[in-house]
Amino acid sequence: MGLLSEGNPLSWEKTKQLAEHVREQGIIQFINLYHKLKDRQGDVLKWGDEIEYIIVNFDDLNKKVTLSLRGQELLKILNEKEAIHSESVKSVWNPEYASYMLEATPGKPYGGLLAHFNIVEANMRYRREEAQKQLNSNERLLTLTSYPRLGCGVFTTPPSYPTPGEGASRSLFIPDEVIYGGHPRFKTLTRNIRMRRGEKVAINLPVYKDDRTMSPFKDDLKALGDDGTNEAAAKPDHVYMDAMAFGMGCCCLQLTFQACNINEARTLYDQLTPLCPIMLALTAASPIHRGVLTDVDCRWSVISGAVDCRTREERGLEPLKNHRFVIPKSRYDSIDSYLSVQGDPYNDVPLVMDKNIYNKLTDANIDHLLAQHIAHLFIRDTVSLFSEKVNQAPTDSDHFENIQSTNWQTMRFKVPPPNSPIGWRVEFRPCEIQLTDFENAAFVVFVVLLTRVILSYKLNLLIPISKVDENMAKAQKRSAVREEVFWFRKDITSSGQQATDMPIEHQYGAMTINQIINGKEGVFPGLIPLINSYLSGMDVDTDTHCSIQQYLKLIQRRASGELLTTASWIRQFVRQHPAYKQDSLVNDEVTYDLLKTIDGIQNGSIPCPELIIPSLVSKTQESIPSAMEKVYCREVNNCCDS
């Protein structure tokens, strides 16, 4: 979720008055950090995943499932355990936006040893079991991207009710009790995004038109207390949502990598960018929103709309008068420019940036590409400020991170914290969460291995930013893996001058995800064959090799369409359920059975060969052999000493 500053949140009026102060001081902090750390070398590969969970409450007697609002209570218990075992902790738990959510990461980062790939799934399993032990007998922890009936009637335990005329979100559908109450950041963000925008957020997703879907599909919003403003914002034949919780209440799977220096971080940032829409499509897992089957499979546009604080002027709906820029995207969206010299020719989208900030950065000897990236991020205002954080030293970083961490993009370029052993990092953010630890581990291992292949083989995956944007739109469509083609670079293995002399429009073409992942003979090598080629030259222990191959097989079969994406499986489950009436509406009974089945799939009691072939079983283990660990530690220490 980003920076969690402690203190007392300022009112929106005061926060707004201090927006320029935060921007100016944030840039000074960035300049100081950059010059202090730009020559930092020798950091070793460290990486880790971040998983978000929802807590549900099953009422088996009435066949109903609700969201359990016990996140804050459970987090306190889990954090107390961490504090007691701080040196040997295997998991770290953090708050998330919703009070029915928990977020967990490994207790310490993984490293460059291939055997680390074999402990990812075991650690995910440990995290799930650790939290599940604290739940009541009728509660379960699910890795589900979007709760299907969020915003439908009374959907929480304990029961809570919307207050459209007051509170942080003023939603017709979402009670403020849904927002995590253990830290003021979350309600402050909700309130300030709404107030900065000048109206509530408005999310409209196209409805999946089934045989008996109402036409036009339209909600009776007046019955929920609408004063007419929601009616004006809601589109016919769309599911309308009016609160930050609809997006920030979704769960995802994210990855962070430490690079050896700033240039490697910039390279990874660029090279992973064209993969973001591909991975979004492969991990698609959220076809139901506010109790309605939609015609999209992913959360991305929902969460983008949920934090869209742009005013009408900034959205281009009115002439600029009180604001400085027309801004094409929400602050939660795909990136807008590459950072490396190699990526610069592919920056084909005009970049909206603060020219004064850009000039300050270039005057401070920061190169054009990084300067425009930061100047673009800083067209945004702060939307959350604490009184204790207003006045900071130029050597601090909170003002910089205030704006950096509220630009929620597909990739994030992360500056080392002041006075920290942590190096330059890159965060990979598009993936939706999967139902099982095996699946989530598979996608984590695949992406991390791909970073090693990119750097080792000097792969070039770059295509124009405009084509990445087109791919992001395609990735969210229903059954995108099977039915869409994506722009992708045709020759990714040639790194010489010949590869860049060709006109850019000839360097990429339309490919299916099957071709991108598995390859097509004589046309494209495929990402997984390249990973296997890389692994063939490495010394991999038997168990780790077995696990990696099982993970790669899952992804190969998802890409080929042999296995369904989570979204396609959920859609199929709903449409085949006897209580579904082919009207696009997902009622309590269908939702209960769906989540019960998901719980069974997660704990292994219900096989689901459409999602995971039963023979795909890893040999994951909780720790790597001590001899391997000693070798790795010695190599790390030698690297750091040099």
Side-chain angles (χ1 to χ4, degrees), residues 328-357:
K329 295 179 182 177
S330 166
R331 63 198 304 150
Y332 198 117
D333 217 309
S334 51
I335 74 159
D336 290 304
S337 68
Y338 292 116
L339 285 179
S340 69
V341 173
Q342 189 180 21
D344 191 25
Y346 303 90
N347 285 328
D348 66 332
V349 174
L351 198 62
V352 180
M353 61 177 155
D354 187 316
K355 293 293 177 58
N356 290 330
I357 288 176

Side-chain angles (χ1 to χ4, degrees), residues 354-384:
D354 187 316
K355 293 293 177 58
N356 290 330
I357 288 176
Y358 174 82
N359 291 335
K360 285 180 184 177
L361 292 166
T362 52
D363 288 347
N365 295 319
I366 292 171
D367 65 272
H368 161 70
L369 290 169
L370 187 54
Q372 72 172 7
H373 168 74
I374 299 297
H376 173 62
L377 297 183
F378 273 64
I379 62 175
R380 312 287 180 179
D381 288 341
T382 173
V383 282
S384 176

Side-chain angles (χ1 to χ4, degrees), residues 78-134:
L78 294 164
N79 287 161
E80 285 173 352
K81 182 180 176 183
E82 287 172 31
I84 294 169
H85 305 285
S86 57
E87 294 302 315
S88 59
V89 68
K90 291 164 64 177
S91 61
V92 175
W93 294 87
N94 296 300
E96 251 303 331
Y97 177 85
S99 50
Y100 56 81
M101 295 174 74
L102 292 170
E103 175 193 289
T105 62
K108 61 180 180 180
Y110 304 119
L113 199 63
L114 285 173
H116 283 121
F117 292 123
N118 206 31
I119 62 177
V120 175
E121 184 184 347
N123 187 268
M124 290 178 176
R125 191 181 300 159
Y126 172 83
R127 283 177 255 172
R128 189 190 294 272
E129 291 171 353
E130 181 184 28
Q132 185 66 47
K133 287 176 184 176
Q134 307 302 328

